[in-house]
Amino acid sequence: MSAGSSPSQVDPTTAPAEILWQCSFAKDGEGPELNSLSVGAKFWLKCSGPSIQGWAEIPKLQFAKPEDEFSLVLLEMPRATNNEANFVVTGYKPGAHSPEFVYLDEGANRVRVEGLQWNIPSVVKSESGAPPKPYPPYGPIMLSWPWWLWGGIAAVLLLIILAVVWRTQRHLARKRLVERLQAKGSALSPYAQFHKDLRQLLRLYQGRTTADDQHKPEDYLDQLDRGFRTYLSRALLVPAEEWGDGAILRDVKKRHKRAFEAAGTQLADLLHELGRARQAKKLSFRDCEQLHEMSRRVADLVERQQTGRGGRA
């Protein structure tokens, strides 16, 4: 059966239809009682009369007066024969309704119905003693959409919002990084500064096997990790000090394709090992020395790709 026909109006001076049917309202299953209807509630309209050719689809509902539009809407036609039809109907305008006549019209098959009366109480509360005003009429199409369609629309909107938020956060993080680098300034290039930091770590920790108050593997790892992330931030303008490892790798792959081709695998391994070391219950100076060498090699690969140079520290 077709869904939801929109009502239209007819000139009240139009001559009565030749075929007159009788119609009455009935409760729709577990729906509200006829004296407790609300806007959008479904109920039955059952009609019968002299035989017609029969309706292949839901007829149009035409009112005697234009202001009665949407006061009654045909939603479904579960049953239709030559001399009777049952409709699922609803109303989108609160109030008492008693149109002079309505037409059920499908081309040559048009019948006239008189004497219909129904009431849809307003649920709008009065404010400051003023008479309540009903909600404006809603179109039948949107109110008849199934829940899964509304859910799909909400999901799409949520994804769009999340994508916009994600892009905005990435943009702001990179903007903050550039502002910090400009404010801080440095006479040394990112590569030269990182190698300077590596040499200082070597002088402080090289050859040590036991920890003391001034020399701990955890401090070695922390300085190495921060130094390498600072190098990535300056060299590739990726907010490595704010982002997680996955976001860093995706950004380098997207914005620095050649650098990722040259050092992507080694960079992923280094970030993974740094993360494991931070979670390790027992960390040794030997572990830190190996991470020291891995970070130097990754920086060399990135520098060679960008400038054709690279050295050892």
Side-chain angles (χ1 to χ4, degrees):
M1 298 298 176
S2 301
S5 60
S6 295
S8 56
Q9 305 84 39
V10 295
D11 188 341
T13 62
T14 302
E18 294 182 355
I19 300 178
L20 182 65
W21 276 25
Q22 299 296 320
C23 295
S24 62
F25 295 110
K27 176 183 176 182
D28 178 24
E30 298 182 357
E33 299 292 339
L34 294 181
N35 59 359
S36 302
L37 296 173
S38 60
V39 171
K42 295 180 180 180
F43 51 106
W44 283 93
L45 176 65
K46 299 183 178 182
C47 303
S48 62
S51 296
I52 59 175
Q53 183 176 348
W55 291 315
E57 59 183 22
I58 298 178
K60 295 180 180 180
L61 190 59
Q62 298 178 310
F63 293 91
K65 298 179 180 180
E67 56 266 28
D68 289 328
E69 183 179 4
F70 292 123
S71 61
L72 190 69
V73 177
L74 306 183
L75 299 178
E76 302 174 28
M77 186 174 65
R79 172 180 171 81
T81 65
N82 290 345
N83 59 3
E84 66 176 336
N86 295 338
F87 304 96
V88 177
V89 299
T90 190
Y92 296 122
K93 282 186 176 181
H97 302 279
S98 55
E100 179 183 351
F101 65 86
V102 296
Y103 284 138
L104 300 175
D105 189 1
E106 189 209 16
N109 297 322
R110 186 172 80 162
V111 300
R112 178 181 174 114
V113 178
E114 299 177 350
L116 282 179
Q117 295 183 1
W118 67 98
N119 182 40
I120 300 179
S122 173
V123 296
V124 183
K125 295 182 180 180
S126 175
E127 298 181 1
S128 303
K133 296 181 179 180
Y135 292 113
Y138 295 93
I141 296 178
M142 293 184 64
L143 287 180
S144 63
W145 285 358
W147 66 267
W148 56 262
L149 184 56
W150 285 110
I153 293 174
V156 171
L157 291 176
L158 180 60
L159 289 175
I160 293 174
I161 293 172
L162 291 176
V164 172
V165 171
W166 183 83
R167 287 181 174 273
T168 302
Q169 289 177 337
R170 291 292 185 264
H171 173 75
L172 293 177
R174 203 182 310 280
K175 182 179 179 181
R176 289 193 299 268
L177 171 62
V178 173
E179 291 174 349
R180 287 198 305 269
L181 295 177
Q182 291 176 343
K184 185 182 298 184
S186 177
L188 297 176
S189 68
Y191 181 74
Q193 182 65 54
F194 181 53
H195 273 255
K196 179 182 178 181
D197 296 340
L198 291 179
R199 289 193 295 270
Q200 291 176 346
L201 288 174
L202 281 177
R203 287 194 295 270
L204 187 59
Y205 292 103
Q206 190 172 30
R208 292 191 174 274
T209 57
T210 58
D212 56 34
D213 292 341
Q214 302 298 324
H215 306 85
K216 299 178 181 179
E218 292 78 10
D219 295 338
Y220 190 171
L221 174 66
D222 183 63
Q223 294 179 63
L224 180 63
D225 184 67
R226 285 190 288 107
F228 182 73
R229 289 177 182 274
T230 299
Y231 164 72
L232 286 180
S233 298
R234 294 186 61 201
L236 301 179
L237 287 182
V238 52
E241 298 169 274
E242 299 181 24
W243 292 358
D245 296 346
I248 294 172
L249 291 170
R250 288 191 294 271
D251 191 76
V252 174
K253 183 177 182 180
K254 179 180 178 180
R255 300 181 62 253
H256 304 277
K257 293 185 178 358
R258 294 178 60 187
F260 190 83
E261 290 174 359
T265 301
Q266 294 84 345
L267 175 59
D269 291 342
L270 173 59
L271 293 175
H272 176 70
E273 292 301 325
L274 286 170
R276 287 185 57 190
R278 288 194 299 270
Q279 301 298 322
K281 295 182 179 179
K282 187 176 181 180
L283 184 67
S284 67
F285 285 110
R286 177 59 181 165
D287 296 331
C288 295
E289 290 172 359
Q290 292 175 347
L291 293 171
H292 182 119
E293 181 63 16
M294 289 179 67
S295 63
R296 182 197 62 79
R297 290 177 180 173
V298 172
D300 286 351
L301 289 172
V302 173
E303 185 69 9
R304 288 194 190 101
Q305 185 280 320
Q306 290 187 314
T307 65
R309 299 174 305 190
R312 182 180 180 85

PDB file of all heavy atoms in Angstrom, residues 17 26 64 145 147 164 184 209 216-217 231 261 300-301:
ATOM      1  N   ALA A  17     -20.633  15.320  -4.592  1.00  0.00           N
ATOM      2  CA  ALA A  17     -20.304  14.149  -5.398  1.00  0.00           C
ATOM      3  C   ALA A  17     -21.544  13.283  -5.569  1.00  0.00           C
ATOM      4  O   ALA A  17     -22.447  13.270  -4.730  1.00  0.00           O
ATOM      5  CB  ALA A  17     -19.188  13.355  -4.705  1.00  0.00           C
ATOM      6  N   ALA A  26     -12.589   4.721  14.677  1.00  0.00           N
ATOM      7  CA  ALA A  26     -12.442   3.624  15.631  1.00  0.00           C
ATOM      8  C   ALA A  26     -11.036   3.649  16.210  1.00  0.00           C
ATOM      9  O   ALA A  26     -10.094   4.185  15.601  1.00  0.00           O
ATOM     10  CB  ALA A  26     -12.729   2.277  14.958  1.00  0.00           C
ATOM     11  N   ALA A  64     -13.482  20.831   2.651  1.00  0.00           N
ATOM     12  CA  ALA A  64     -14.330  21.920   2.177  1.00  0.00           C
ATOM     13  C   ALA A  64     -13.666  23.277   2.387  1.00  0.00           C
ATOM     14  O   ALA A  64     -13.861  24.206   1.606  1.00  0.00           O
ATOM     15  CB  ALA A  64     -15.683  21.882   2.908  1.00  0.00           C
ATOM     16  N   TRP A 145       8.573   8.996   9.486  1.00  0.00           N
ATOM     17  CA  TRP A 145       9.862   8.340   9.250  1.00  0.00           C
ATOM     18  C   TRP A 145      10.148   7.339  10.358  1.00  0.00           C
ATOM     19  O   TRP A 145       9.904   7.624  11.541  1.00  0.00           O
ATOM     20  CB  TRP A 145      10.997   9.367   9.195  1.00  0.00           C
ATOM     21  CG  TRP A 145      11.028  10.139   7.917  1.00  0.00           C
ATOM     22  CD1 TRP A 145      10.211   9.990   6.846  1.00  0.00           C
ATOM     23  CD2 TRP A 145      11.938  11.187   7.580  1.00  0.00           C
ATOM     24  NE1 TRP A 145      10.534  10.888   5.862  1.00  0.00           N
ATOM     25  CE2 TRP A 145      11.592  11.635   6.289  1.00  0.00           C
ATOM     26  CE3 TRP A 145      12.992  11.797   8.253  1.00  0.00           C
ATOM     27  CZ2 TRP A 145      12.289  12.662   5.662  1.00  0.00           C
ATOM     28  CZ3 TRP A 145      13.678  12.822   7.625  1.00  0.00           C
ATOM     29  CH2 TRP A 145      13.330  13.245   6.339  1.00  0.00           C
ATOM     30  N   TRP A 147      12.275   4.971  13.143  1.00  0.00           N
ATOM     31  CA  TRP A 147      13.322   5.362  14.103  1.00  0.00           C
ATOM     32  C   TRP A 147      14.721   5.139  13.549  1.00  0.00           C
ATOM     33  O   TRP A 147      15.641   5.903  13.820  1.00  0.00           O
ATOM     34  CB  TRP A 147      13.152   4.570  15.404  1.00  0.00           C
ATOM     35  CG  TRP A 147      13.401   3.099  15.241  1.00  0.00           C
ATOM     36  CD1 TRP A 147      12.479   2.134  14.988  1.00  0.00           C
ATOM     37  CD2 TRP A 147      14.667   2.431  15.310  1.00  0.00           C
ATOM     38  NE1 TRP A 147      13.067   0.904  14.888  1.00  0.00           N
ATOM     39  CE2 TRP A 147      14.421   1.056  15.085  1.00  0.00           C
ATOM     40  CE3 TRP A 147      15.979   2.856  15.543  1.00  0.00           C
ATOM     41  CZ2 TRP A 147      15.429   0.109  15.088  1.00  0.00           C
ATOM     42  CZ3 TRP A 147      16.995   1.910  15.543  1.00  0.00           C
ATOM     43  CH2 TRP A 147      16.723   0.556  15.323  1.00  0.00           C
ATOM     44  N   VAL A 164      35.028  17.259  12.058  1.00  0.00           N
ATOM     45  CA  VAL A 164      35.358  18.687  12.144  1.00  0.00           C
ATOM     46  C   VAL A 164      36.164  18.979  13.406  1.00  0.00           C
ATOM     47  O   VAL A 164      37.158  19.717  13.374  1.00  0.00           O
ATOM     48  CB  VAL A 164      34.068  19.532  12.106  1.00  0.00           C
ATOM     49  CG1 VAL A 164      34.379  20.992  12.399  1.00  0.00           C
ATOM     50  CG2 VAL A 164      33.394  19.409  10.744  1.00  0.00           C
ATOM     51  N   LYS A 184      60.381  30.536  21.161  1.00  0.00           N
ATOM     52  CA  LYS A 184      61.584  30.004  21.802  1.00  0.00           C
ATOM     53  C   LYS A 184      62.830  30.349  21.002  1.00  0.00           C
ATOM     54  O   LYS A 184      63.817  30.828  21.539  1.00  0.00           O
ATOM     55  CB  LYS A 184      61.461  28.492  21.964  1.00  0.00           C
ATOM     56  CG  LYS A 184      62.598  27.849  22.732  1.00  0.00           C
ATOM     57  CD  LYS A 184      62.418  26.339  22.805  1.00  0.00           C
ATOM     58  CE  LYS A 184      61.132  25.980  23.547  1.00  0.00           C
ATOM     59  NZ  LYS A 184      60.990  24.509  23.700  1.00  0.00           N
ATOM     60  N   THR A 209      76.645   1.393  34.971  1.00  0.00           N
ATOM     61  CA  THR A 209      75.919   0.127  35.095  1.00  0.00           C
ATOM     62  C   THR A 209      75.006   0.099  36.305  1.00  0.00           C
ATOM     63  O   THR A 209      74.093  -0.729  36.378  1.00  0.00           O
ATOM     64  CB  THR A 209      76.909  -1.040  35.185  1.00  0.00           C
ATOM     65  OG1 THR A 209      77.791  -0.835  36.299  1.00  0.00           O
ATOM     66  CG2 THR A 209      77.723  -1.157  33.896  1.00  0.00           C
ATOM     67  N   LYS A 216      69.985   7.906  37.058  1.00  0.00           N
ATOM     68  CA  LYS A 216      68.978   6.851  37.040  1.00  0.00           C
ATOM     69  C   LYS A 216      68.575   6.554  35.594  1.00  0.00           C
ATOM     70  O   LYS A 216      68.456   7.472  34.772  1.00  0.00           O
ATOM     71  CB  LYS A 216      67.741   7.262  37.827  1.00  0.00           C
ATOM     72  CG  LYS A 216      68.000   7.548  39.303  1.00  0.00           C
ATOM     73  CD  LYS A 216      66.719   7.998  39.992  1.00  0.00           C
ATOM     74  CE  LYS A 216      66.964   8.310  41.451  1.00  0.00           C
ATOM     75  NZ  LYS A 216      65.725   8.776  42.134  1.00  0.00           N
ATOM     76  N   PRO A 217      68.358   5.269  35.267  1.00  0.00           N
ATOM     77  CA  PRO A 217      67.931   4.935  33.897  1.00  0.00           C
ATOM     78  C   PRO A 217      66.632   5.635  33.504  1.00  0.00           C
ATOM     79  O   PRO A 217      66.459   6.025  32.345  1.00  0.00           O
ATOM     80  CB  PRO A 217      67.757   3.411  33.948  1.00  0.00           C
ATOM     81  CG  PRO A 217      68.588   2.949  35.084  1.00  0.00           C
ATOM     82  CD  PRO A 217      68.562   4.063  36.089  1.00  0.00           C
ATOM     83  N   TYR A 231      62.877  17.051  18.653  1.00  0.00           N
ATOM     84  CA  TYR A 231      63.476  17.033  17.314  1.00  0.00           C
ATOM     85  C   TYR A 231      62.409  16.832  16.237  1.00  0.00           C
ATOM     86  O   TYR A 231      62.386  17.556  15.231  1.00  0.00           O
ATOM     87  CB  TYR A 231      64.527  15.925  17.217  1.00  0.00           C
ATOM     88  CG  TYR A 231      64.903  15.604  15.791  1.00  0.00           C
ATOM     89  CD1 TYR A 231      65.661  16.489  15.036  1.00  0.00           C
ATOM     90  CD2 TYR A 231      64.447  14.436  15.182  1.00  0.00           C
ATOM     91  CE1 TYR A 231      65.970  16.211  13.700  1.00  0.00           C
ATOM     92  CE2 TYR A 231      64.746  14.149  13.867  1.00  0.00           C
ATOM     93  CZ  TYR A 231      65.509  15.045  13.125  1.00  0.00           C
ATOM     94  OH  TYR A 231      65.808  14.775  11.819  1.00  0.00           O
ATOM     95  N   GLU A 261      58.947   7.222   3.825  1.00  0.00           N
ATOM     96  CA  GLU A 261      59.500   6.110   3.044  1.00  0.00           C
ATOM     97  C   GLU A 261      60.911   5.762   3.507  1.00  0.00           C
ATOM     98  O   GLU A 261      61.299   4.590   3.544  1.00  0.00           O
ATOM     99  CB  GLU A 261      59.517   6.476   1.559  1.00  0.00           C
ATOM    100  CG  GLU A 261      58.121   6.554   0.937  1.00  0.00           C
ATOM    101  CD  GLU A 261      58.163   7.059  -0.489  1.00  0.00           C
ATOM    102  OE1 GLU A 261      59.294   7.363  -0.968  1.00  0.00           O
ATOM    103  OE2 GLU A 261      57.112   7.173  -1.125  1.00  0.00           O
ATOM    104  N   ASP A 300      69.164  10.535  11.713  1.00  0.00           N
ATOM    105  CA  ASP A 300      70.067  10.566  10.554  1.00  0.00           C
ATOM    106  C   ASP A 300      69.306  10.293   9.265  1.00  0.00           C
ATOM    107  O   ASP A 300      69.528  10.952   8.240  1.00  0.00           O
ATOM    108  CB  ASP A 300      71.178   9.534  10.733  1.00  0.00           C
ATOM    109  CG  ASP A 300      72.221   9.953  11.767  1.00  0.00           C
ATOM    110  OD1 ASP A 300      72.168  11.122  12.206  1.00  0.00           O
ATOM    111  OD2 ASP A 300      73.064   9.124  12.132  1.00  0.00           O
ATOM    112  N   LEU A 301      68.398   9.310   9.287  1.00  0.00           N
ATOM    113  CA  LEU A 301      67.631   8.971   8.088  1.00  0.00           C
ATOM    114  C   LEU A 301      66.745  10.135   7.651  1.00  0.00           C
ATOM    115  O   LEU A 301      66.658  10.459   6.459  1.00  0.00           O
ATOM    116  CB  LEU A 301      66.777   7.731   8.343  1.00  0.00           C
ATOM    117  CG  LEU A 301      67.526   6.398   8.470  1.00  0.00           C
ATOM    118  CD1 LEU A 301      66.573   5.296   8.914  1.00  0.00           C
ATOM    119  CD2 LEU A 301      68.177   6.024   7.151  1.00  0.00           C
TER     120      LEU A 301
END
